[in-house]
């Protein structure tokens, strides 16, 4: 069984340790930074107009600009162009763009 004075001394040391940890917080952190929740920004709308594939080249029309693999425009870098999709990096985040579906036209009898 521990001596009551020993237990009291340990409690004081533990409380001092927590005070020191509190005092060592980052002094450059703005006040109230802990109380603000982190909110992910929603992915922006990027329009893939069309995909052009040929034997010698691959082109994707993104936001009205023709881009090849490796090209960049407005923080969008084209990684790979496929016949049905385009893989890009948008502000450092990987995304896959798909062309808008063509409207369905029905024939009237």
């Amino acid at each position: 069984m521990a001596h009551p004075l020993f237990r009291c001394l340990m409690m004081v040391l533990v409380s001092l340790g927590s005070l020191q940890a509190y005092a060592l917080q980052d002094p450059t952190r703005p006040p109230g930074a802990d109380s603000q929740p982190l909110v992910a920004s929603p992915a922006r709308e990027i329009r893939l107009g069309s995909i052009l594939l040929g034997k010698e080249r691959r082109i994707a029309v993104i936001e009205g600009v023709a881009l090849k693999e490796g090209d960049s425009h407005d923080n969008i870098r084209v990684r790979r162009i496929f016949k049905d999709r385009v893989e890009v990096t948008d502000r450092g985040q990987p995304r896959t763009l798909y062309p808008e579906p063509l409207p369905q036209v029905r024939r009237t009898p």
Side-chain angles (χ1 to χ4, degrees):
M1 193 161 207
H3 193 275
L5 184 59
F6 178 74
R7 281 194 296 173
C8 183
L9 181 61
M10 290 303 292
M11 291 174 66
V12 169
L13 288 175
V14 168
S15 64
L16 285 176
S18 64
L19 287 175
Q20 288 176 347
Y22 179 76
L24 293 177
Q25 289 182 356
D26 185 2
T28 62
R29 182 174 224 150
D34 293 333
S35 63
Q36 298 172 354
L38 297 177
V39 178
S41 60
R44 64 180 172 159
E45 180 92 20
I46 300 174
R47 194 173 138 270
L48 173 61
S50 60
I51 299 171
L52 306 169
L53 295 177
K55 291 182 182 181
E56 299 292 322
R57 63 183 178 170
R58 296 170 177 258
I59 296 175
V61 179
I62 300 173
E63 297 295 327
V65 178
L67 301 169
K68 299 179 291 187
E69 291 179 349
D71 287 352
S72 296
H73 172 71
D74 192 25
N75 290 325
I76 301 168
R77 187 178 68 80
V78 178
R79 294 172 57 198
R80 300 278 316 264
I81 299 174
F82 299 95
K83 69 177 184 174
D84 61 341
R85 68 189 185 283
V86 178
E87 293 177 357
V88 299
T89 304
D90 178 24
R91 299 177 186 162
Q93 299 296 317
R95 290 184 61 184
T96 303
L97 306 177
Y98 297 93
E100 294 179 15
L102 296 174
Q104 299 297 318
V105 179
R106 292 188 217 164
R107 298 184 113 170
T108 56

